[in-house]
Amino acid sequence: MATIAVSSVSTGASSAQRRLSVPRLRAVMGGRLTLPLVLLAALVSHAYHLFSYPNYTGDEGIYMEQAWSVLKGVGLSPYTYFYDHAPGGWIMIAAWLRLLPGGVLQWGTAINSGRVFILLLGLASTALLFRLAQRLSGSEASAALTAIVFALSPLSFYYGRMVLLDNIMVFWVLLALELLTNGRTLFALLASGLVFGIAILTKENAVYFTPIMVYLLYNNAHKSHFFPFGVVGWIYLLFAIVSFYPLFALLKGELFGTDAFLLQARGGNVNLLGAVQWQMGRSDPQGSIFNYPHGTFWSTVFTTWASKDPIILAAGMTATAFNVVVGVLRRDVRHAYLVAAALALLFAFYLVRGAVLLEFYILPLLPFLALNIGLAAHLLVQPLRWPLLIAKWRAWRRAAPAVLSSLTIALGIYFVALEPTGRDLFTVQQTGLEAAQIAYIRDHIPCNDVIMISDDIYVDLHEQVGGRCHFFPRADSHFKISSDPAVDQRLGINNGNWRAIKWVIVSYGLAYNLAHATNDYHKVAWNAYLHSAPVWQQRERGGVVSVEIRKVVASEPVGVGGTTHPVPAGHHTPAAAPSTSATRPTPPIRARQPRYWFDVCVTRCPARHPPSTARTTQFGWFTGRLRAKRVAH
Amino acid sequence: MTTLLLWLLCGFSLLISAQAAYTVYLMLYTWNEGQAFEDARAPRVFRPPTLSFTALLPARHEEAVIGRTLERVMQTHYPPGMLEAIVICEAGDSGTIAAAQQTIDRLRAEGITGARVVTFSDLPINKPHGLNKGLAQARGDIVTVFDAEDDMHPDIFNVINTVMVEESVRVVQSGVQLMNYDSSWFAAHNVLEYYFWFKSRLHFYARSGITPLGGNTVFFDTALLHELGGWDETNLTEDAEIGIRLSAQNERVRVIYDDEFVTKEETPPNLRGFIRQRTRWNQGFLQTLQKGVWQTMPRRANRLRALHILSFPFVQAVQALYVPISLAMLVLLKLPVLVAIILFVPGYLLFAHYLLTVVGLNSFARAHGLRLRRHGPLLLLVTYFPYLCVLGYAAGRALWRERLGLTNWEKTVHTGAHRQPLAEVLAVAYPIAAGSYHPETTD
């Protein structure tokens, strides 16, 4: 990498010898190979072990089942679509699934098919980010650093492999930026409005990028002859694309509604405005950043994000602040540095505004943190060129890009080889548990039984495949069983009859989620769980992740956990009586224990710690010190 | 059955959308192609005059405006000896002949001798027939056509001379612009149709090698016209027809649109006149379509483009019909949501079209130094659909007349509306010519 960057930058070669060697090198590598190499690194590191780690999450399952539903022409969701998110993302996934020659289950499970799509989008995002960084900094080495930090950050590895709307949205936002900053023609400008509209329809929080988009629009167009057409067209296209969403709701008669969101669970009407209101008002009393260090924001930052990759967070935010200062002080690079800083700050504002913060919300921030790191590093290595002015030592010409390139390589190696998440990424087998679970269900469970599942295996159980059962028509998500009246009726649960549920398929974290639900929507699911006993169980080797299959049997609660009923290999006894030894008479729905942000669970601590499929949470040197501090107090 | 109907409905809606999107593309073409935008401008440095021009001025009952137009042609900034103007009248139109003769005599007195009147008494009495009569007597290297009410730029011949010599093209179409955008409710829409047609669409067509020419400010090599056999006397839109024939022969057409050098015209004074004019055009397009020369064009894409251009009025009629039909469908039937959304797509594109019109009006006003009324955009919005309906009606009327075989020329009345109210404006719009052009004295 170093050679490439050097060759591309050292254009001032004068001696005959250099003319002989460098141009040839540059012709072969410079400007042509850097991006492919970066992409190759991203491809290999993201693709390897893609289907094995991290564990399938419920959200991935939800988007896959909704994409599957679009693909089958059922609608935007197999259940009542309640406007939780705009449907752009999974419509695209559906289009992707349509292209697969082997169908939805081309790569074993449905989520795998989605992950390949995300992988391809991620590569495209990396390339777009590379180009953006190159344009803003004017340096290929800086662009390579940006792209590598983005692609190889363990946070990117971890969340960037998942089928999440944020991953799709990032691609569209970067594409809109590309068109806005690179486009010279009116139609490129208009296309950026269209693409940005698609980004918003993919995930609504893309709207936080609007100010910078508008600035770039003005910046690009105000001197051109098509300025009025460009601006009016851009705004109109954006509104037109986004307006399809409320139009859809209006046509379905679901734009307005009197019921607050989620009241639809008990006979109310779903409606878009209610859902928007709900999403906007999803505040978290503990979420404020001023609630340091006990707030949920800081706990997410430290226990979830910093434990995976402290570098991109700390360096990224520092670089952003640095770039703001540079942008204010230096007129010549003001545009580039302020644009980069604004991109990061706008989305950071979304994260810190004190509302509900899910761990993968960090995703859209990552490319822009990387961008700021790349730009700041570019400026910081510039002084290395100064000695050139004094001593005419040509090697100094190479110094700046060489340092940047070395930094890129060093970071890449650190991310991939030394960071714990990075290591897990290539070694840990987690998703095999779900695959085994699905295989067990296909082999043993009666086809028409009511099966309570998590969303992650929905498509796998509903897509028609050969075998004993073609599919399981009554396998439904625990969330929908508890909250969607249509499902409630279809399955004969009729508001509380948990006995209609015959099987409980426990994904990792399900028990925790049910036990910690703060409202009573999950009562049915929780009761079914309590009255079931495990017939099959598998645990990740050496890890915390475990999954179960439980049969609802008793009229008395069996309790949490229970013991696995021994099932002889090849011989299935679904009606096995539950062991009563583990029965806990009172359901362990309890108030959340006060937790401290540094109270990090490293391994095997299921109940108190929110289920994270991350195997290892490091950052011990830091947390350890703070724990000591607290004890001292 | 219902499914089939829904499929048809969706297909129809998507077809309309595609056509509307294509139209929007054509309207924006020049602005997107930076080079085309530059190319469209007229040269600012002129070559010395080398080509001689014959201006054909077919006129019928134009005594009000013909004298002034003739005067303008002969007093342009071009050596009078290299200019010839032929006013072509039907022999019985004594009013126009007298008015023209009066001006000719006055010009003679000033020593300008290139103007004369040519009359004809054979049938048909229409513009192409008159043009052919004039062509037979034309002595210039280049033949051009002006309508009796045209305000051409004083340097137009210098522009054309320069372009034709430098680029060795044999056909040049220069921009024509309607000016009186606020003289009636439909005027602004009509003005903007011209604006987008000459400023953008025509460049796209010229670049693809198919150019339906306009009726005036079009310049031909005289020999080329003789080769072609002149204008088609049976066609109601001889201008578009000859353009199609030229395109079929692969003749390159150079298009110039420069706000400064456009020829200024007026919209028809009332709705009746407008509908008649439109009917005539549409009928002419139908005739050209039936004649089938477009099928002999060199490339398939161009054949399709020609088909699109010639059938455009009828597409517009369908568009006008589509709006109420789709609205009725949405209200009366319980359509599946996806179908309903697809039915909405053309609406989005029509609105985009409307927005383009608003931006275009501003851009037009700025180019010509006009001041718009503040509620202009609102007015455009209110009149947008009625205008679409009028276009649709004219298209239907054309079909009807063509079926009945009514092919007489429904002439457009000219009052010079673009002249009087714009007198002051023109002085601003023609800064180069400010020395010689005094609208307040010539009017």
Side-chain angles (χ1 to χ4, degrees):
Chain A
M1 191 84 56
T3 357
I4 303 155
V6 170
S7 59
S8 68
V9 173
S10 54
T11 46
S14 58
S15 78
Q17 193 192 355
R18 282 177 63 87
R19 260 195 213 119
L20 277 178
S21 60
V22 175
R24 204 180 301 145
L25 192 67
R26 192 162 58 227
V28 178
M29 308 183 83
R32 295 206 191 110
L33 265 186
T34 316
L35 180 58
L37 277 177
V38 167
L39 288 181
L40 187 68
L43 172 70
V44 170
S45 56
H46 278 252
Y48 181 70
H49 235 55
L50 176 68
F51 299 151
S52 308
Y53 186 89
N55 204 19
Y56 299 140
T57 60
D59 282 46
E60 289 182 277
I62 289 173
Y63 301 133
M64 287 315 295
E65 80 193 25
Q66 292 178 340
W68 178 82
S69 167
V70 171
L71 181 72
K72 299 291 168 188
V74 178
L76 290 180
S77 165
Y79 301 109
T80 314
Y81 173 54
F82 64 102
Y83 301 93
D84 49 342
H85 285 299
W90 62 86
I91 291 176
M92 283 168 233
I93 299 177
W96 161 254
L97 293 178
R98 183 84 180 72
L99 294 177
L100 295 180
V104 179
L105 304 180
Q106 167 109 32
W107 286 285
T109 63
I111 291 181
N112 285 351
S113 309
R115 284 191 176 180
V116 175
F117 178 62
I118 297 296
L119 170 74
L120 297 178
L121 279 188
L123 288 180
S125 299
T126 309
L128 289 170
L129 183 67
F130 181 92
R131 288 175 60 100
L132 182 67
Q134 194 176 23
R135 206 167 307 117
L136 290 181
S137 69
S139 145
E140 204 171 37
S142 157
L145 178 65
T146 301
I148 285 292
V149 168
F150 167 61
L152 301 194
S153 160
L155 280 168
S156 277
F157 277 148
Y158 192 76
Y159 301 115
R161 284 182 171 188
M162 295 181 183
V163 188
L164 296 172
L165 300 182
D166 304 67
N167 280 318
I168 307 174
M169 181 265 274
V170 163
F171 165 75
W172 291 108
V173 166
L174 284 169
L175 185 59
L177 286 173
E178 166 75 18
L179 288 166
L180 263 184
T181 53
N182 193 33
R184 290 276 165 273
T185 63
L186 175 61
F187 290 149
L189 200 74
L190 296 182
S192 79
L194 186 95
V195 165
F196 186 49
I198 294 175
I200 293 175
L201 280 193
T202 303
K203 179 125 191 201
E204 305 81 347
N205 54 12
V207 294
Y208 281 83
F209 291 113
T210 310
I212 193 72
M213 294 281 177
V214 169
Y215 165 73
L216 288 172
L217 168 71
Y218 175 79
N219 187 60
N220 182 334
H222 79 282
K223 278 186 197 136
S224 68
H225 58 272
F226 53 68
F227 178 63
F229 288 100
V231 170
V232 172
W234 192 90
I235 294 172
Y236 177 65
L237 271 168
L238 176 62
F239 272 94
I241 292 294
V242 172
S243 73
F244 276 109
Y245 189 37
L247 176 68
F248 170 82
L250 184 71
L251 290 171
K252 284 196 80 176
E254 295 173 345
L255 183 57
F256 310 101
T258 46
D259 301 306
F261 178 78
L262 287 182
L263 275 188
Q264 41 112 351
R266 290 290 169 256
N269 287 321
V270 292
N271 67 86
L272 172 60
L273 291 181
V276 170
Q277 216 176 354
W278 169 72
Q279 285 278 21
M280 305 258 281
R282 263 172 104 180
S283 65
D284 178 351
Q286 301 289 309
S288 165
I289 51 164
F290 301 111
N291 191 358
Y292 180 86
H294 303 288
T296 40
F297 174 78
W298 292 109
S299 97
T300 311
V301 168
F302 287 113
T303 60
T304 315
W305 295 340
S307 65
K308 292 187 180 65
D309 181 8
I311 289 181
I312 198 171
L313 289 179
M317 285 325 287
T318 314
T320 306
F322 174 77
N323 289 346
V324 170
V325 175
V326 169
V328 170
L329 293 182
R330 279 187 57 176
R331 190 177 282 269
D332 55 335
V333 291
R334 179 168 295 165
H335 171 75
Y337 280 73
L338 286 187
V339 164
L343 283 166
L345 288 174
L346 284 171
F347 204 81
F349 170 73
Y350 167 72
L351 296 181
V352 303
R353 79 198 194 290
V356 160
L357 189 65
L358 302 185
E359 51 178 328
F360 54 79
Y361 280 10
I362 187 81
L363 268 171
L365 189 59
L366 297 176
F368 304 117
L369 288 180
L371 179 66
N372 277 290
I373 292 174
L375 285 187
H378 173 67
L379 211 61
L380 287 173
V381 297
Q382 293 306 312
L384 293 172
R385 292 168 185 237
W386 293 346
L388 178 71
L389 301 173
I390 309 157
K392 290 191 173 177
W393 186 30
R394 287 214 168 79
W396 279 112
R397 285 173 187 275
R398 303 176 174 200
V403 167
L404 273 189
S405 310
S406 319
L407 189 65
T408 307
I409 293 169
L411 267 177
I413 291 172
Y414 173 74
F415 284 149
V416 174
L418 302 174
E419 273 268 333
T421 312
R423 275 203 316 264
D424 285 358
L425 197 75
F426 302 114
T427 51
V428 176
Q429 265 287 347
Q430 279 187 337
T431 58
L433 300 177
E434 269 93 349
Q437 212 176 22
I438 294 164
Y440 183 90
I441 297 167
R442 284 200 184 127
D443 286 346
H444 299 299
I445 291 185
C447 307
N448 278 315
D449 273 10
V450 174
I451 313 171
M452 185 171 95
I453 59 171
S454 291
D455 294 284
D456 52 358
I457 57 172
Y458 180 94
V459 178
D460 302 279
L461 296 185
H462 282 260
E463 174 72 3
Q464 300 213 18
V465 287
R468 193 174 56 91
C469 303
H470 278 287
F471 67 110
F472 296 84
R474 304 174 86 192
D476 281 295
S477 149
H478 64 86
F479 180 70
K480 299 296 176 180
I481 283 178
S482 323
S483 65
D484 188 337
V487 178
D488 190 293
Q489 274 174 20
R490 177 162 55 82
L491 299 183
I493 293 168
N494 300 327
N495 229 343
N497 175 24
W498 53 265
R499 287 178 184 80
I501 301 168
K502 296 285 180 259
W503 300 86
V504 178
I505 313 298
V506 184
S507 62
Y508 177 63
L510 177 68
Y512 176 88
N513 283 335
L514 292 182
H516 288 76
T518 46
N519 45 44
D520 57 355
Y521 290 135
H522 286 76
K523 221 175 206 167
V524 174
W526 178 236
N527 273 323
Y529 181 86
L530 279 185
H531 292 86
S532 64
V535 294
W536 178 91
Q537 197 175 42
Q538 227 177 55
R539 177 176 285 276
E540 177 199 1
R541 226 183 316 150
V544 290
V545 178
S546 69
V547 297
E548 286 179 332
I549 292 174
R550 297 167 73 100
K551 183 164 172 54
V552 180
V553 277
S555 47
E556 290 298 311
V558 175
V560 181
T563 52
T564 310
H565 208 74
V567 180
H571 181 68
H572 168 57
T573 52
S579 156
T580 49
S581 61
T583 305
R584 291 217 320 233
T586 50
I589 300 180
R590 51 197 156 97
R592 205 179 263 235
Q593 298 287 327
R595 285 189 298 111
Y596 302 106
W597 64 270
F598 48 81
D599 198 332
V600 176
C601 161
V602 177
T603 46
R604 297 172 205 286
C605 35
R608 286 188 65 203
H609 184 64
S612 162
T613 49
R615 250 174 102 245
T616 35
T617 27
Q618 294 289 312
F619 223 46
W621 58 274
F622 195 54
T623 56
R625 265 198 354 227
L626 281 157
R627 184 174 302 177
K629 219 168 153 188
R630 192 168 182 281
V631 170
H633 280 291
Chain B
M1 184 60 203
T2 323
T3 322
L4 183 71
L5 199 72
L6 288 180
W7 274 107
L8 278 177
L9 204 62
C10 288
F12 181 60
S13 169
L14 290 176
L15 209 64
I16 295 243
S17 308
Q19 126 72 22
Y22 181 56
T23 308
V24 167
Y25 168 77
L26 292 180
M27 285 168 79
L28 286 175
Y29 174 79
T30 313
W31 281 279
N32 186 53
E33 307 276 320
Q35 197 52 44
F37 199 82
E38 285 305 310
D39 288 347
R41 302 181 55 140
R44 287 296 191 277
V45 179
F46 301 137
R47 282 182 161 252
T50 47
L51 300 169
S52 59
F53 288 88
T54 300
L56 303 180
L57 297 160
R60 186 154 184 250
H61 306 307
E62 302 279 15
E63 45 270 55
V65 290
I66 187 69
R68 153 86 189 278
T69 309
L70 191 54
E71 209 164 0
R72 280 196 71 131
V73 171
M74 295 312 294
Q75 288 181 340
T76 47
H77 302 164
Y78 208 72
M82 302 176 81
L83 277 183
E84 180 188 40
I86 304 178
V87 178
I88 307 144
C89 294
E90 185 257 326
D93 186 3
S94 51
T96 312
I97 296 174
Q101 199 57 51
Q102 204 181 345
T103 312
I104 291 170
D105 293 342
R106 200 167 62 238
L107 288 169
R108 285 243 165 86
E110 292 171 25
I112 301 170
T113 55
R116 61 205 155 98
V117 175
V118 167
T119 58
F120 64 94
S121 45
D122 50 344
L123 293 173
I125 304 173
N126 63 15
K127 188 175 169 186
H129 183 63
L131 288 174
N132 283 339
K133 289 284 174 197
L135 175 63
Q137 302 206 14
R139 289 189 289 251
D141 303 323
I142 307 297
V143 166
T144 180
V145 183
F146 287 114
D147 285 333
E149 87 283 14
D150 283 349
D151 273 357
M152 68 294 299
H153 190 275
D155 273 320
I156 188 73
F157 293 115
N158 283 316
V159 169
I160 304 302
N161 177 58
T162 308
V163 168
M164 280 190 152
V165 170
E166 279 182 359
E167 303 177 20
S168 42
V169 283
R170 298 200 288 174
V171 185
V172 176
Q173 167 77 61
S174 181
V176 180
Q177 184 58 59
L178 301 181
M179 296 303 292
N180 51 334
Y181 69 94
D182 59 355
S183 65
S184 60
W185 67 266
F186 59 86
H189 290 286
N190 199 7
V191 165
L192 286 163
E193 261 184 303
Y194 266 71
Y195 184 69
F196 282 109
W197 176 267
F198 280 100
K199 192 151 181 136
S200 183
R201 294 179 72 156
L202 209 48
H203 298 288
F204 172 80
Y205 292 134
R207 193 171 276 191
S208 1
I210 162 170
T211 327
L213 294 169
N216 64 64
T217 329
V218 53
F219 298 81
F220 302 95
D221 185 297
T222 312
L224 177 68
L225 266 186
H226 283 300
E227 212 176 288
L228 275 175
W231 284 271
D232 180 351
E233 299 188 3
T234 60
N235 198 296
L236 286 171
T237 49
E238 79 296 334
D239 43 3
E241 198 276 339
I242 202 167
I244 299 288
R245 266 192 287 152
L246 282 167
S247 307
Q249 288 196 5
N250 241 344
E251 184 66 40
R252 192 162 87 82
V253 177
R254 169 73 151 91
V255 175
I256 301 173
Y257 186 98
D258 198 311
D259 293 315
E260 200 179 309
F261 292 99
V262 290
T263 297
K264 298 181 181 183
E265 284 192 351
E266 60 178 8
T267 61
N270 51 36
L271 191 59
R272 199 171 151 203
F274 177 70
I275 289 174
R276 286 183 160 190
Q277 186 192 47
R278 249 341 129 95
T279 309
R280 177 165 65 77
W281 292 2
N282 297 346
Q283 222 176 327
F285 276 18
L286 270 184
Q287 291 171 342
T288 314
L289 204 58
Q290 279 168 349
K291 192 172 173 186
V293 179
W294 61 275
Q295 289 165 330
T296 65
M297 292 221 180
R299 283 159 42 214
R300 182 196 282 176
N302 278 353
R303 289 197 286 278
L304 284 177
R305 279 179 199 129
L307 182 65
H308 179 250
I309 294 169
L310 295 173
S311 57
F312 189 67
F314 310 99
V315 174
Q316 252 174 344
V318 174
Q319 253 177 13
L321 275 178
Y322 175 84
V323 176
I325 290 178
S326 65
L327 281 179
M329 289 281 220
L330 283 171
V331 174
L332 298 176
L333 300 179
K334 181 80 189 138
L335 294 170
V337 175
L338 189 64
V339 175
I341 286 183
I342 290 176
L343 284 191
F344 263 95
V345 174
Y348 276 94
L349 285 155
L350 283 185
F351 195 78
H353 188 265
Y354 156 74
L355 280 179
L356 273 185
T357 316
V358 172
V359 179
L361 187 61
N362 274 296
S363 152
F364 161 79
R366 187 178 306 169
H368 293 282
L370 307 173
R371 291 190 64 164
L372 293 179
R373 277 174 291 177
R374 200 171 299 159
H375 57 273
L378 195 68
L379 214 66
L380 276 179
L381 183 64
V382 174
T383 53
Y384 182 76
F385 186 65
Y387 185 71
L388 211 59
C389 290
V390 170
L391 292 183
Y393 172 71
R397 189 164 174 265
L399 271 174
W400 181 248
R401 284 174 60 87
E402 188 63 22
R403 239 195 95 199
L404 293 182
L406 299 171
T407 53
N408 61 318
W409 184 288
E410 296 184 294
K411 203 191 151 301
T412 318
V413 178
H414 296 130
T415 60
H418 61 305
R419 286 180 173 160
Q420 287 95 352
L422 292 169
E424 287 156 34
V425 166
L426 292 179
V428 181
Y430 286 150
I432 287 185
S436 65
Y437 178 60
H438 302 289
E440 63 273 24
T441 55
T442 48
D443 255 293

